[in-house]
Amino acid sequence: MSTSPLVAVKMVILHLLLLVCAVGVVQVVMGVKDVENTRLSPTLPKDMQGKLFFFVMGAHHSGTTLLDLVFCTHHQVSCLVTHKFEDEGQHVQSVYLAASKLGGMEGYAYNPKSHLTEESNLLTDENRDKLFHEWLHYWKHKDRPVYLEKSPPNLIKSRFLQAMFTPQASKFLMVMRHPFGTFRFKLDHHKRKQNKCCQVYCRDYIQHWIFAHELASEDVQFLKHIQFIKYEKFVQGTVEEAKSYIHHIEQFLDLDAGEHVEFYHRKENGEETLVTNEHSSSWDSFSDDDDDKTDDDDNSGGNDDDDDDDGDDDFANDDDDAVVTKKTVKKHERKFLKRKKKGGGKQRRSGRNLLEYHGQHKRQSVEVDMGSAYSWVPLWDKIYNTNKEACDHMITQVEPFLNKFGYSMKYPTWVGAANAFGDIDIVHEYDEYPGGQM
């Protein structure tokens, strides 16, 4: 059946009208999105100007606390002193939920509410002001130019934080560690988890680790200022290399050379030998007034967690492999490692645990135990030899994904380049995969 010219013209006009309507709808939608984005001013309010906001991020127990402590000794850096778990900012703010509310360290990345970007509805001027002032309450030295905040879940919140504090005023440091090294503390005192490591616990955790870092690898493409380092490269190389990495980050932050770090080498007999003690000035972020503070102190934020962060147990400390501990310290002197009973309820820990680990109230410097990156390998060997079949199956499942990030369960001490982070990696020399082509 043929169509008359008039009908054909009408059809063309109808299609044109539909196209115009469709374009109009798109413009309206885009307009709404633009309006939503303008809820956050492009410039910071006056009380936030003139500061650099430095965010340290990585998986739990990957080295975030270690790097945090290193730069907290710097005379131009102000750190949070919250008396919450590891002084992490996520626990003293009410703008977004902490990881412990979203699945814990073994599952938070799977929760869509954990992954925040510049498209989040939480990005408003009101929330910017709230977040800043809730943290400002705990930044010890408000006259210093750099404000540091360390929370592991920043790993998948970096785009959100960059938008909140503006790309010009925010910088990021991402630290990465072998997933078994970050999970080892969960196994040390749990025989049942060791027996079921490859069937359930280790397998599930490594898969979550991979998922979180896949998200992070996409997010870093949107960040204007970011640096990346592997924990193993920082603590397993030479002292000169570790110093050069610190200096590189200082330059990245436009800081003077001013951190206070002592490096030790771990011997085979377990003894520790001081390598250098060059920088020495009193740690003044803790005054005598802080000695009596507990979790009962004022908390500006509304996200007060009663549990340890994300399921951490009594024996675990973030990055405890790398911070030197002295066995001769009396138990009662470990003030900040002890828990305080609170109304007969759950026990709480307070203070910057690792900094106070020696039982000394004022520290001269942060002490880094060089050669400690692979302290978890004997435990993995024990688990593997106990259940080879299940562990071989797990390795087959996770190995290709770990290799992309420069890690391996088959060759646990191998550290290669993380391809997704190559452009921002401080370190440029890595070993080839021992098993040949991946």
Side-chain angles (χ1 to χ4, degrees), residues 257-276:
E259 84 295 332
H260 306 283
V261 183
E262 294 176 353
F263 294 94
Y264 287 73
H265 270 309
R266 179 179 294 184
K267 295 182 178 180
E268 290 184 2
N269 61 5
E271 295 180 356
E272 295 155 343
T273 303
L274 179 66
V275 176
T276 179

mmCIF file with all atom_site columns, all heavy atoms in Angstrom, residues 257-276:
data_model
loop_
_atom_site.group_PDB
_atom_site.id
_atom_site.type_symbol
_atom_site.label_atom_id
_atom_site.label_alt_id
_atom_site.label_comp_id
_atom_site.label_asym_id
_atom_site.label_entity_id
_atom_site.label_seq_id
_atom_site.pdbx_PDB_ins_code
_atom_site.Cartn_x
_atom_site.Cartn_y
_atom_site.Cartn_z
_atom_site.occupancy
_atom_site.B_iso_or_equiv
_atom_site.pdbx_formal_charge
_atom_site.auth_seq_id
_atom_site.auth_comp_id
_atom_site.auth_asym_id
_atom_site.auth_atom_id
_atom_site.pdbx_PDB_model_num
ATOM 1   N N   . ALA A 1 257 ? 61.573 19.513  54.415 1.00 0.00 ? 257 ALA A N   1
ATOM 2   C CA  . ALA A 1 257 ? 62.021 18.222  54.934 1.00 0.00 ? 257 ALA A CA  1
ATOM 3   C C   . ALA A 1 257 ? 61.952 18.301  56.453 1.00 0.00 ? 257 ALA A C   1
ATOM 4   O O   . ALA A 1 257 ? 62.732 19.025  57.066 1.00 0.00 ? 257 ALA A O   1
ATOM 5   C CB  . ALA A 1 257 ? 63.436 17.912  54.469 1.00 0.00 ? 257 ALA A CB  1
ATOM 6   N N   . GLY A 1 258 ? 61.016 17.567  57.058 1.00 0.00 ? 258 GLY A N   1
ATOM 7   C CA  . GLY A 1 258 ? 60.857 17.777  58.491 1.00 0.00 ? 258 GLY A CA  1
ATOM 8   C C   . GLY A 1 258 ? 60.216 16.654  59.259 1.00 0.00 ? 258 GLY A C   1
ATOM 9   O O   . GLY A 1 258 ? 59.783 16.839  60.383 1.00 0.00 ? 258 GLY A O   1
ATOM 10  N N   . GLU A 1 259 ? 60.112 15.446  58.674 1.00 0.00 ? 259 GLU A N   1
ATOM 11  C CA  . GLU A 1 259 ? 59.521 14.342  59.426 1.00 0.00 ? 259 GLU A CA  1
ATOM 12  C C   . GLU A 1 259 ? 60.544 13.792  60.417 1.00 0.00 ? 259 GLU A C   1
ATOM 13  O O   . GLU A 1 259 ? 61.744 14.051  60.306 1.00 0.00 ? 259 GLU A O   1
ATOM 14  C CB  . GLU A 1 259 ? 59.043 13.247  58.475 1.00 0.00 ? 259 GLU A CB  1
ATOM 15  C CG  . GLU A 1 259 ? 60.098 12.243  58.035 1.00 0.00 ? 259 GLU A CG  1
ATOM 16  C CD  . GLU A 1 259 ? 61.206 12.860  57.198 1.00 0.00 ? 259 GLU A CD  1
ATOM 17  O OE1 . GLU A 1 259 ? 60.952 13.864  56.521 1.00 0.00 ? 259 GLU A OE1 1
ATOM 18  O OE2 . GLU A 1 259 ? 62.334 12.314  57.232 1.00 0.00 ? 259 GLU A OE2 1
ATOM 19  N N   . HIS A 1 260 ? 60.073 13.018  61.375 1.00 0.00 ? 260 HIS A N   1
ATOM 20  C CA  . HIS A 1 260 ? 60.961 12.475  62.406 1.00 0.00 ? 260 HIS A CA  1
ATOM 21  C C   . HIS A 1 260 ? 60.765 10.963  62.448 1.00 0.00 ? 260 HIS A C   1
ATOM 22  O O   . HIS A 1 260 ? 59.834 10.457  63.051 1.00 0.00 ? 260 HIS A O   1
ATOM 23  C CB  . HIS A 1 260 ? 60.646 13.118  63.760 1.00 0.00 ? 260 HIS A CB  1
ATOM 24  C CG  . HIS A 1 260 ? 60.685 14.613  63.702 1.00 0.00 ? 260 HIS A CG  1
ATOM 25  N ND1 . HIS A 1 260 ? 61.866 15.317  63.681 1.00 0.00 ? 260 HIS A ND1 1
ATOM 26  C CD2 . HIS A 1 260 ? 59.698 15.539  63.624 1.00 0.00 ? 260 HIS A CD2 1
ATOM 27  C CE1 . HIS A 1 260 ? 61.597 16.612  63.604 1.00 0.00 ? 260 HIS A CE1 1
ATOM 28  N NE2 . HIS A 1 260 ? 60.292 16.768  63.568 1.00 0.00 ? 260 HIS A NE2 1
ATOM 29  N N   . VAL A 1 261 ? 61.665 10.266  61.791 1.00 0.00 ? 261 VAL A N   1
ATOM 30  C CA  . VAL A 1 261 ? 61.526 8.823   61.625 1.00 0.00 ? 261 VAL A CA  1
ATOM 31  C C   . VAL A 1 261 ? 62.819 8.125   61.999 1.00 0.00 ? 261 VAL A C   1
ATOM 32  O O   . VAL A 1 261 ? 63.909 8.563   61.621 1.00 0.00 ? 261 VAL A O   1
ATOM 33  C CB  . VAL A 1 261 ? 61.158 8.463   60.158 1.00 0.00 ? 261 VAL A CB  1
ATOM 34  C CG1 . VAL A 1 261 ? 60.936 6.964   60.022 1.00 0.00 ? 261 VAL A CG1 1
ATOM 35  C CG2 . VAL A 1 261 ? 59.923 9.235   59.716 1.00 0.00 ? 261 VAL A CG2 1
ATOM 36  N N   . GLU A 1 262 ? 62.696 7.055   62.769 1.00 0.00 ? 262 GLU A N   1
ATOM 37  C CA  . GLU A 1 262 ? 63.829 6.182   63.062 1.00 0.00 ? 262 GLU A CA  1
ATOM 38  C C   . GLU A 1 262 ? 63.603 4.864   62.347 1.00 0.00 ? 262 GLU A C   1
ATOM 39  O O   . GLU A 1 262 ? 62.504 4.301   62.409 1.00 0.00 ? 262 GLU A O   1
ATOM 40  C CB  . GLU A 1 262 ? 63.964 5.959   64.570 1.00 0.00 ? 262 GLU A CB  1
ATOM 41  C CG  . GLU A 1 262 ? 64.323 7.217   65.352 1.00 0.00 ? 262 GLU A CG  1
ATOM 42  C CD  . GLU A 1 262 ? 64.356 6.973   66.849 1.00 0.00 ? 262 GLU A CD  1
ATOM 43  O OE1 . GLU A 1 262 ? 63.961 5.865   67.260 1.00 0.00 ? 262 GLU A OE1 1
ATOM 44  O OE2 . GLU A 1 262 ? 64.761 7.883   67.582 1.00 0.00 ? 262 GLU A OE2 1
ATOM 45  N N   . PHE A 1 263 ? 64.630 4.364   61.698 1.00 0.00 ? 263 PHE A N   1
ATOM 46  C CA  . PHE A 1 263 ? 64.514 3.114   60.949 1.00 0.00 ? 263 PHE A CA  1
ATOM 47  C C   . PHE A 1 263 ? 65.303 2.013   61.654 1.00 0.00 ? 263 PHE A C   1
ATOM 48  O O   . PHE A 1 263 ? 66.451 2.209   62.053 1.00 0.00 ? 263 PHE A O   1
ATOM 49  C CB  . PHE A 1 263 ? 65.041 3.296   59.527 1.00 0.00 ? 263 PHE A CB  1
ATOM 50  C CG  . PHE A 1 263 ? 64.233 4.239   58.698 1.00 0.00 ? 263 PHE A CG  1
ATOM 51  C CD1 . PHE A 1 263 ? 64.585 5.580   58.622 1.00 0.00 ? 263 PHE A CD1 1
ATOM 52  C CD2 . PHE A 1 263 ? 63.120 3.803   58.014 1.00 0.00 ? 263 PHE A CD2 1
ATOM 53  C CE1 . PHE A 1 263 ? 63.848 6.470   57.861 1.00 0.00 ? 263 PHE A CE1 1
ATOM 54  C CE2 . PHE A 1 263 ? 62.373 4.685   57.247 1.00 0.00 ? 263 PHE A CE2 1
ATOM 55  C CZ  . PHE A 1 263 ? 62.736 6.031   57.175 1.00 0.00 ? 263 PHE A CZ  1
ATOM 56  N N   . TYR A 1 264 ? 64.676 0.853   61.775 1.00 0.00 ? 264 TYR A N   1
ATOM 57  C CA  . TYR A 1 264 ? 65.306 -0.318  62.367 1.00 0.00 ? 264 TYR A CA  1
ATOM 58  C C   . TYR A 1 264 ? 65.340 -1.440  61.338 1.00 0.00 ? 264 TYR A C   1
ATOM 59  O O   . TYR A 1 264 ? 64.476 -1.517  60.460 1.00 0.00 ? 264 TYR A O   1
ATOM 60  C CB  . TYR A 1 264 ? 64.526 -0.806  63.593 1.00 0.00 ? 264 TYR A CB  1
ATOM 61  C CG  . TYR A 1 264 ? 64.661 0.059   64.811 1.00 0.00 ? 264 TYR A CG  1
ATOM 62  C CD1 . TYR A 1 264 ? 64.023 1.294   64.880 1.00 0.00 ? 264 TYR A CD1 1
ATOM 63  C CD2 . TYR A 1 264 ? 65.416 -0.357  65.897 1.00 0.00 ? 264 TYR A CD2 1
ATOM 64  C CE1 . TYR A 1 264 ? 64.136 2.102   66.005 1.00 0.00 ? 264 TYR A CE1 1
ATOM 65  C CE2 . TYR A 1 264 ? 65.533 0.440   67.032 1.00 0.00 ? 264 TYR A CE2 1
ATOM 66  C CZ  . TYR A 1 264 ? 64.901 1.666   67.073 1.00 0.00 ? 264 TYR A CZ  1
ATOM 67  O OH  . TYR A 1 264 ? 65.007 2.457   68.185 1.00 0.00 ? 264 TYR A OH  1
ATOM 68  N N   . HIS A 1 265 ? 66.323 -2.301  61.456 1.00 0.00 ? 265 HIS A N   1
ATOM 69  C CA  . HIS A 1 265 ? 66.358 -3.502  60.629 1.00 0.00 ? 265 HIS A CA  1
ATOM 70  C C   . HIS A 1 265 ? 66.119 -4.711  61.519 1.00 0.00 ? 265 HIS A C   1
ATOM 71  O O   . HIS A 1 265 ? 66.736 -4.848  62.578 1.00 0.00 ? 265 HIS A O   1
ATOM 72  C CB  . HIS A 1 265 ? 67.698 -3.662  59.902 1.00 0.00 ? 265 HIS A CB  1
ATOM 73  C CG  . HIS A 1 265 ? 67.722 -3.004  58.563 1.00 0.00 ? 265 HIS A CG  1
ATOM 74  N ND1 . HIS A 1 265 ? 66.750 -3.227  57.617 1.00 0.00 ? 265 HIS A ND1 1
ATOM 75  C CD2 . HIS A 1 265 ? 68.603 -2.134  58.008 1.00 0.00 ? 265 HIS A CD2 1
ATOM 76  C CE1 . HIS A 1 265 ? 67.026 -2.520  56.539 1.00 0.00 ? 265 HIS A CE1 1
ATOM 77  N NE2 . HIS A 1 265 ? 68.138 -1.844  56.754 1.00 0.00 ? 265 HIS A NE2 1
ATOM 78  N N   . ARG A 1 266 ? 65.231 -5.575  61.096 1.00 0.00 ? 266 ARG A N   1
ATOM 79  C CA  . ARG A 1 266 ? 64.915 -6.781  61.858 1.00 0.00 ? 266 ARG A CA  1
ATOM 80  C C   . ARG A 1 266 ? 65.906 -7.878  61.489 1.00 0.00 ? 266 ARG A C   1
ATOM 81  O O   . ARG A 1 266 ? 66.074 -8.228  60.324 1.00 0.00 ? 266 ARG A O   1
ATOM 82  C CB  . ARG A 1 266 ? 63.492 -7.247  61.552 1.00 0.00 ? 266 ARG A CB  1
ATOM 83  C CG  . ARG A 1 266 ? 63.093 -8.504  62.284 1.00 0.00 ? 266 ARG A CG  1
ATOM 84  C CD  . ARG A 1 266 ? 61.667 -8.899  61.968 1.00 0.00 ? 266 ARG A CD  1
ATOM 85  N NE  . ARG A 1 266 ? 60.710 -7.920  62.486 1.00 0.00 ? 266 ARG A NE  1
ATOM 86  C CZ  . ARG A 1 266 ? 59.398 -8.091  62.403 1.00 0.00 ? 266 ARG A CZ  1
ATOM 87  N NH1 . ARG A 1 266 ? 58.911 -9.162  61.816 1.00 0.00 ? 266 ARG A NH1 1
ATOM 88  N NH2 . ARG A 1 266 ? 58.586 -7.179  62.894 1.00 0.00 ? 266 ARG A NH2 1
ATOM 89  N N   . LYS A 1 267 ? 66.552 -8.459  62.485 1.00 0.00 ? 267 LYS A N   1
ATOM 90  C CA  . LYS A 1 267 ? 67.491 -9.550  62.257 1.00 0.00 ? 267 LYS A CA  1
ATOM 91  C C   . LYS A 1 267 ? 66.764 -10.887 62.303 1.00 0.00 ? 267 LYS A C   1
ATOM 92  O O   . LYS A 1 267 ? 65.633 -10.987 62.745 1.00 0.00 ? 267 LYS A O   1
ATOM 93  C CB  . LYS A 1 267 ? 68.610 -9.525  63.310 1.00 0.00 ? 267 LYS A CB  1
ATOM 94  C CG  . LYS A 1 267 ? 69.500 -8.284  63.218 1.00 0.00 ? 267 LYS A CG  1
ATOM 95  C CD  . LYS A 1 267 ? 70.606 -8.358  64.259 1.00 0.00 ? 267 LYS A CD  1
ATOM 96  C CE  . LYS A 1 267 ? 71.527 -7.161  64.154 1.00 0.00 ? 267 LYS A CE  1
ATOM 97  N NZ  . LYS A 1 267 ? 72.614 -7.235  65.175 1.00 0.00 ? 267 LYS A NZ  1
ATOM 98  N N   . GLU A 1 268 ? 67.450 -11.929 61.856 1.00 0.00 ? 268 GLU A N   1
ATOM 99  C CA  . GLU A 1 268 ? 66.836 -13.257 61.832 1.00 0.00 ? 268 GLU A CA  1
ATOM 100 C C   . GLU A 1 268 ? 66.491 -13.745 63.234 1.00 0.00 ? 268 GLU A C   1
ATOM 101 O O   . GLU A 1 268 ? 65.547 -14.493 63.419 1.00 0.00 ? 268 GLU A O   1
ATOM 102 C CB  . GLU A 1 268 ? 67.787 -14.254 61.160 1.00 0.00 ? 268 GLU A CB  1
ATOM 103 C CG  . GLU A 1 268 ? 67.941 -14.004 59.652 1.00 0.00 ? 268 GLU A CG  1
ATOM 104 C CD  . GLU A 1 268 ? 68.802 -15.060 59.000 1.00 0.00 ? 268 GLU A CD  1
ATOM 105 O OE1 . GLU A 1 268 ? 69.238 -15.994 59.723 1.00 0.00 ? 268 GLU A OE1 1
ATOM 106 O OE2 . GLU A 1 268 ? 69.042 -14.982 57.789 1.00 0.00 ? 268 GLU A OE2 1
ATOM 107 N N   . ASN A 1 269 ? 67.263 -13.317 64.246 1.00 0.00 ? 269 ASN A N   1
ATOM 108 C CA  . ASN A 1 269 ? 66.987 -13.762 65.616 1.00 0.00 ? 269 ASN A CA  1
ATOM 109 C C   . ASN A 1 269 ? 65.893 -12.945 66.284 1.00 0.00 ? 269 ASN A C   1
ATOM 110 O O   . ASN A 1 269 ? 65.585 -13.143 67.444 1.00 0.00 ? 269 ASN A O   1
ATOM 111 C CB  . ASN A 1 269 ? 68.267 -13.707 66.461 1.00 0.00 ? 269 ASN A CB  1
ATOM 112 C CG  . ASN A 1 269 ? 68.826 -12.294 66.549 1.00 0.00 ? 269 ASN A CG  1
ATOM 113 O OD1 . ASN A 1 269 ? 68.226 -11.330 66.065 1.00 0.00 ? 269 ASN A OD1 1
ATOM 114 N ND2 . ASN A 1 269 ? 69.997 -12.177 67.174 1.00 0.00 ? 269 ASN A ND2 1
ATOM 115 N N   . GLY A 1 270 ? 65.288 -12.023 65.516 1.00 0.00 ? 270 GLY A N   1
ATOM 116 C CA  . GLY A 1 270 ? 64.187 -11.247 66.058 1.00 0.00 ? 270 GLY A CA  1
ATOM 117 C C   . GLY A 1 270 ? 64.605 -9.944  66.713 1.00 0.00 ? 270 GLY A C   1
ATOM 118 O O   . GLY A 1 270 ? 63.774 -9.118  67.066 1.00 0.00 ? 270 GLY A O   1
ATOM 119 N N   . GLU A 1 271 ? 65.940 -9.735  66.907 1.00 0.00 ? 271 GLU A N   1
ATOM 120 C CA  . GLU A 1 271 ? 66.399 -8.498  67.508 1.00 0.00 ? 271 GLU A CA  1
ATOM 121 C C   . GLU A 1 271 ? 66.281 -7.353  66.501 1.00 0.00 ? 271 GLU A C   1
ATOM 122 O O   . GLU A 1 271 ? 66.248 -7.567  65.297 1.00 0.00 ? 271 GLU A O   1
ATOM 123 C CB  . GLU A 1 271 ? 67.856 -8.641  67.971 1.00 0.00 ? 271 GLU A CB  1
ATOM 124 C CG  . GLU A 1 271 ? 68.039 -9.655  69.087 1.00 0.00 ? 271 GLU A CG  1
ATOM 125 C CD  . GLU A 1 271 ? 69.494 -9.753  69.499 1.00 0.00 ? 271 GLU A CD  1
ATOM 126 O OE1 . GLU A 1 271 ? 70.339 -9.084  68.849 1.00 0.00 ? 271 GLU A OE1 1
ATOM 127 O OE2 . GLU A 1 271 ? 69.786 -10.494 70.440 1.00 0.00 ? 271 GLU A OE2 1
ATOM 128 N N   . GLU A 1 272 ? 66.255 -6.139  67.053 1.00 0.00 ? 272 GLU A N   1
ATOM 129 C CA  . GLU A 1 272 ? 66.119 -4.979  66.199 1.00 0.00 ? 272 GLU A CA  1
ATOM 130 C C   . GLU A 1 272 ? 67.317 -4.066  66.374 1.00 0.00 ? 272 GLU A C   1
ATOM 131 O O   . GLU A 1 272 ? 67.772 -3.825  67.494 1.00 0.00 ? 272 GLU A O   1
ATOM 132 C CB  . GLU A 1 272 ? 64.828 -4.221  66.521 1.00 0.00 ? 272 GLU A CB  1
ATOM 133 C CG  . GLU A 1 272 ? 63.593 -5.043  66.194 1.00 0.00 ? 272 GLU A CG  1
ATOM 134 C CD  . GLU A 1 272 ? 62.396 -4.632  67.014 1.00 0.00 ? 272 GLU A CD  1
ATOM 135 O OE1 . GLU A 1 272 ? 62.581 -3.957  68.045 1.00 0.00 ? 272 GLU A OE1 1
ATOM 136 O OE2 . GLU A 1 272 ? 61.279 -5.001  66.633 1.00 0.00 ? 272 GLU A OE2 1
ATOM 137 N N   . THR A 1 273 ? 67.872 -3.567  65.284 1.00 0.00 ? 273 THR A N   1
ATOM 138 C CA  . THR A 1 273 ? 69.040 -2.712  65.325 1.00 0.00 ? 273 THR A CA  1
ATOM 139 C C   . THR A 1 273 ? 68.704 -1.365  64.741 1.00 0.00 ? 273 THR A C   1
ATOM 140 O O   . THR A 1 273 ? 68.190 -1.274  63.621 1.00 0.00 ? 273 THR A O   1
ATOM 141 C CB  . THR A 1 273 ? 70.202 -3.337  64.523 1.00 0.00 ? 273 THR A CB  1
ATOM 142 O OG1 . THR A 1 273 ? 70.486 -4.623  65.049 1.00 0.00 ? 273 THR A OG1 1
ATOM 143 C CG2 . THR A 1 273 ? 71.448 -2.452  64.616 1.00 0.00 ? 273 THR A CG2 1
ATOM 144 N N   . LEU A 1 274 ? 69.002 -0.298  65.489 1.00 0.00 ? 274 LEU A N   1
ATOM 145 C CA  . LEU A 1 274 ? 68.729 1.041   65.012 1.00 0.00 ? 274 LEU A CA  1
ATOM 146 C C   . LEU A 1 274 ? 69.640 1.362   63.842 1.00 0.00 ? 274 LEU A C   1
ATOM 147 O O   . LEU A 1 274 ? 70.853 1.213   63.928 1.00 0.00 ? 274 LEU A O   1
ATOM 148 C CB  . LEU A 1 274 ? 68.935 2.060   66.138 1.00 0.00 ? 274 LEU A CB  1
ATOM 149 C CG  . LEU A 1 274 ? 68.708 3.528   65.798 1.00 0.00 ? 274 LEU A CG  1
ATOM 150 C CD1 . LEU A 1 274 ? 67.228 3.749   65.471 1.00 0.00 ? 274 LEU A CD1 1
ATOM 151 C CD2 . LEU A 1 274 ? 69.136 4.405   66.954 1.00 0.00 ? 274 LEU A CD2 1
ATOM 152 N N   . VAL A 1 275 ? 69.056 1.814   62.742 1.00 0.00 ? 275 VAL A N   1
ATOM 153 C CA  . VAL A 1 275 ? 69.836 2.163   61.568 1.00 0.00 ? 275 VAL A CA  1
ATOM 154 C C   . VAL A 1 275 ? 70.194 3.635   61.585 1.00 0.00 ? 275 VAL A C   1
ATOM 155 O O   . VAL A 1 275 ? 71.307 4.031   61.314 1.00 0.00 ? 275 VAL A O   1
ATOM 156 C CB  . VAL A 1 275 ? 69.043 1.831   60.275 1.00 0.00 ? 275 VAL A CB  1
ATOM 157 C CG1 . VAL A 1 275 ? 69.822 2.276   59.062 1.00 0.00 ? 275 VAL A CG1 1
ATOM 158 C CG2 . VAL A 1 275 ? 68.769 0.338   60.213 1.00 0.00 ? 275 VAL A CG2 1
ATOM 159 N N   . THR A 1 276 ? 69.230 4.473   61.887 1.00 0.00 ? 276 THR A N   1
ATOM 160 C CA  . THR A 1 276 ? 69.500 5.911   61.912 1.00 0.00 ? 276 THR A CA  1
ATOM 161 C C   . THR A 1 276 ? 68.584 6.583   62.913 1.00 0.00 ? 276 THR A C   1
ATOM 162 O O   . THR A 1 276 ? 67.469 6.146   63.132 1.00 0.00 ? 276 THR A O   1
ATOM 163 C CB  . THR A 1 276 ? 69.290 6.530   60.518 1.00 0.00 ? 276 THR A CB  1
ATOM 164 O OG1 . THR A 1 276 ? 69.544 7.931   60.611 1.00 0.00 ? 276 THR A OG1 1
ATOM 165 C CG2 . THR A 1 276 ? 67.876 6.334   60.019 1.00 0.00 ? 276 THR A CG2 1
#
